[in-house]
Amino acid sequence: MRKQVAIIGSGPAGLFLGALLEKSGIDTIILERRSQDYVLGRIRAGVLEQGTMEMLDAVGCGARMREEGLIHDGFDLTFDGRRHRIDLSELTGGKTVMVYGQTEVTRDLMDGRDAAGHAIVYEAENVTPHDFDSARPYVTYDKDGVSQRVDCDVIVGCDGFHGVCRKSVPEGSITEFEKVYPFGWLGVLADVKPVADELVYANHSRGFALCSMRSLTRSRYYVQCDLSDKVENWSDDAFWDELRRRLPPKLAEAVNTGPSIEKSIAPLRSFVAEPLTFGRMLLCGDAGHIVPPTGAKGLNLAASDVFYASEAIRDFLDDGNEKSLKHYSTRALKRIWKAERFSWWMTSILHRFPADGDFNQKIQEAELDYLVHSKNASASLAENYVGLPY
Ligand code: RFL
Ligand code: PHB
């Protein structure tokens, strides 16, 4: 089989890229290791930047988001028992974010691709990129026990942090920057009314907590937990009790509890691979970088990566100059490092670090106090939260 672009992975990066390229008349195939149900069953991101919303519109898949998504023009920070609002819209000249689950974005992009009749191969085993340092790259995989080969002009690794593409790059050609945090997030999804109209990020001496949502009747909550914690050790009651302890009393009283419909623990990590271009293979999204979820940037970075990648691939297919592909890496990394900085900073001011003492807690409180009382500091937070331009 021959395709212009072989995309590995059908997460948001792969699906958005497939949609952008097909819209420009570029022929793609998406190869996904898991089943469609498995991909749609993963509960992940919930907050879309304006650029991500506009991209979903631009590829013709934004209708349901515009109907069901919730526009948020602010969020709350709580610390020292008090609650402060960050007015995103006022601080950024009218910009907002959209609360719309990654699962829904994925479903809308899959439906769009299905309707247009473009290929996704689910449950593709042993997907392997080959010869991406030559002019004739190709990808092999097994489907239903039969080996397949896709010859292509460009391979794009959209296969997440544990994918095969980054691992296929010779060791000396890639540099990895990494910071692992000494805690995780325990997340719960429940069909209960959210505790507040907007998201609440809580700094507390017992650890961070986040009140988020998926709709007006479905809540998503997180509490910072130990890396050694196991989901089985957290009953629903224990979770709700811990969440309430970390919120100011009035808010804690308002938490609606109910049975969890999903509960999981995610470790927190900052990671960047450089470069993101290796001859005719590009890395996009979590395949090339990870941010801790505190800044709500992971899915949104996948979107900006594939925007740059789609432009680079279009240019390359037009003139055959590999410089365009190289330029993708330089352009994307500039925005990635800014989102890395922001996500690391949000993480560092909101979490309890086990090795740090009371001094650091006081410094965090001073920084948060400055943040909510200085217009300049709030504006910088808001500017980054709604997403830097691309
Ligand atoms: P994905 O979504 O991991 O998709 C990669 C796909 O590649 C497939 N794959 C393979 N396919 C073929 N062959 C192989 N060898 C393969 N290996 C892997 C996988 O099955 C999968 O389908 O990466 P992508 O597309 O780069 O998207 C990245 C986002 O999913 C991620 O950054 C966000 O979910 C991060 N994130 C958040 N981001 C936000 O922008 N806002 C948020 O509010 C937000 N909250 C979160 C988050 C991530 C979380 N977790 C669980 C890590 C909250 C949490 C708890
Ligand atoms: C979520 O709703 O899952 C969510 C929201 C904001 C974050 C992280 C996760 O910063």
Side-chain angles (χ1 to χ4, degrees):
M1 186 193 317
R2 181 164 176 88
K3 293 278 176 182
Q4 286 170 292
V5 180
I7 298 171
I8 304 180
S10 75
L15 290 164
F16 262 129
L17 181 64
L20 289 170
L21 292 177
E22 293 284 357
K23 210 172 150 266
S24 310
I26 296 168
D27 198 18
T28 63
I29 185 167
I30 299 182
L31 303 172
E32 166 61 50
R33 184 168 58 139
R34 304 285 193 172
S35 69
Q36 184 171 21
D37 285 348
Y38 182 95
V39 174
L40 287 171
R42 289 190 295 228
I43 308 295
R44 288 189 168 177
V47 176
L48 309 185
E49 294 174 355
Q50 199 133 330
T52 311
M53 301 177 219
E54 283 165 13
M55 192 180 289
L56 203 57
D57 285 334
V59 297
C61 296
R64 197 163 67 98
M65 168 194 70
R66 293 292 171 190
E67 198 150 294
E68 296 175 15
L70 305 171
I71 291 278
H72 281 201
D73 51 20
F75 65 83
D76 282 356
L77 285 174
T78 70
F79 58 95
D80 206 12
R82 282 169 300 139
R83 190 169 164 191
H84 307 265
R85 182 162 189 268
I86 301 293
D87 191 328
L88 293 172
S89 176
E90 189 191 291
L91 291 161
T92 61
K95 294 200 176 124
T96 58
V97 291
M98 170 81 81
V99 171
Y100 189 64
Q102 177 167 335
T103 314
E104 311 310 322
V105 174
T106 306
R107 184 186 298 282
D108 295 343
L109 289 168
M110 282 176 173
D111 287 351
R113 196 168 170 93
D114 261 6
H118 303 310
I120 304 190
V121 180
Y122 294 103
E123 296 177 86
E125 291 177 76
N126 304 317
V127 178
T128 312
H130 300 272
D131 292 359
F132 45 83
D133 54 350
S134 80
R136 287 191 179 72
Y138 64 99
V139 179
T140 54
Y141 65 97
D142 299 329
K143 176 72 184 168
D144 301 328
V146 181
S147 300
Q148 305 283 351
R149 170 176 170 140
V150 184
D151 291 286
C152 55
D153 298 309
V154 182
I155 300 172
V156 190
C158 296
D159 49 349
F161 184 65
H162 299 287
V164 63
C165 292
R166 195 180 68 251
K167 288 184 194 135
S168 309
V169 174
E171 224 173 85
S173 316
I174 192 166
T175 308
E176 299 185 340
F177 301 87
E178 183 170 48
K179 181 177 176 60
V180 177
Y181 299 86
F183 41 73
W185 279 17
L186 168 65
V188 157
L189 189 69
D191 277 330
V192 292
K193 186 175 177 294
V195 65
D197 294 340
E198 297 179 332
L199 270 60
V200 181
Y201 290 82
N203 172 297
H204 190 272
S205 56
R206 294 182 65 88
F208 170 75
L210 169 60
C211 309
S212 181
M213 65 191 78
R214 289 292 175 273
S215 70
L216 297 178
T217 55
R218 179 168 285 189
S219 300
R220 180 68 166 159
Y221 290 107
Y222 298 95
V223 295
Q224 174 183 348
C225 65
D226 289 343
L227 275 177
S228 58
D229 263 345
K230 299 262 173 294
V231 172
E232 310 81 79
N233 298 339
W234 281 90
S235 67
D236 287 357
D237 285 345
F239 179 84
W240 295 120
D241 286 346
E242 189 55 38
L243 175 71
R244 281 188 290 230
R245 278 190 206 112
R246 297 182 187 191
L247 300 175
K250 255 197 175 158
L251 199 61
E253 273 168 38
V255 171
N256 301 293
T257 63
S260 63
I261 49 178
E262 195 263 359
K263 201 185 279 161
S264 53
I265 291 181
L268 267 66
R269 184 196 304 270
S270 297
F271 172 88
V272 183
E274 289 195 9
L276 295 172
T277 301
F278 305 90
R280 293 199 177 196
M281 182 168 79
L282 314 181
L283 300 180
C284 292
D286 281 12
H289 45 79
I290 293 285
V291 285
T294 327
K297 289 283 164 260
L299 163 61
N300 295 301
L301 268 188
S304 55
D305 280 5
V306 301
F307 171 76
Y308 296 135
S310 66
E311 289 201 336
I313 292 168
R314 266 198 298 269
D315 290 348
F316 170 67
L317 293 177
D318 271 353
D319 63 13
N321 191 340
E322 282 189 11
K323 264 195 185 153
S324 310
L325 299 181
K326 264 208 174 120
H327 184 52
Y328 156 70
S329 177
T330 320
R331 246 181 126 191
L333 280 166
K334 278 201 175 137
R335 189 170 193 274
I336 289 163
W337 274 112
K338 290 188 190 100
E340 290 282 344
R341 184 208 68 81
F342 177 68
S343 305
W344 158 82
W345 172 76
M346 281 277 276
T347 304
S348 67
I349 61 166
L350 288 171
H351 291 74
R352 199 75 182 136
F353 286 71
D356 290 352
D358 294 343
F359 180 82
N360 289 67
Q361 175 78 9
K362 287 286 180 192
I363 293 288
Q364 275 187 348
E365 284 171 13
E367 179 148 18
L368 286 162
D369 202 49
Y370 167 64
L371 196 56
V372 299
H373 290 111
S374 154
K375 189 133 195 192
N376 289 338
S378 304
S380 168
L381 165 64
E383 182 185 25
N384 281 278
Y385 193 84
V386 300
L388 297 176
Y390 55 96

